[in-house]
Every structure is written in structure tokens, then in C-alpha cells.
Amino acid sequence: MENLTSYLAILALIIIGFLVVKKVASCLIKSIVTIVLAAAAIAIYWLYLRGA
């Protein structure tokens, strides 16, 4: 069940990130959003999925 929660969190990050990037026009902001989402996905993997 923990893996399901992690997968849902990653899916939510991807969907929210896609919607934010789609709305934002600046290339710099798109890059920052992408880096933040990648860091969040790595943190979820490192903290939750790696230990499972």
C-alpha cells in the first residue's frame, strides 16, 4: 500500500507539473519548475521507494 501512495504522489507531481508548465510562458520558469519536480520525484524515490 505504501508503494501505491508513492506512485500516486509521483503521478500527481507529473500532472500538476505538466499543467503548470503549460500555463507558464517563460523558459526560465519552465526550467525551474522542471528542476523542482525532478527533485521532488527523486526525494520521493530516495525516501520511500528505495527502502521498500
Side-chain angles (χ1 to χ4, degrees):
M1 193 64 173
E2 294 174 10
N3 285 341
L4 179 62
T5 305
S6 298
Y7 292 135
L8 289 176
I10 292 172
L11 181 62
L13 279 173
I14 291 170
I15 292 171
I16 291 170
F18 177 76
L19 293 174
V20 167
V21 170
K22 189 175 175 185
K23 298 280 183 187
V24 176
S26 173
C27 184
L28 178 61
I29 295 176
K30 286 181 184 180
S31 299
I32 292 171
V33 169
T34 304
I35 291 169
V36 168
L37 287 174
I42 290 170
I44 289 172
Y45 170 76
W46 189 264
L47 295 174
Y48 296 107
L49 298 178
R50 186 173 160 255

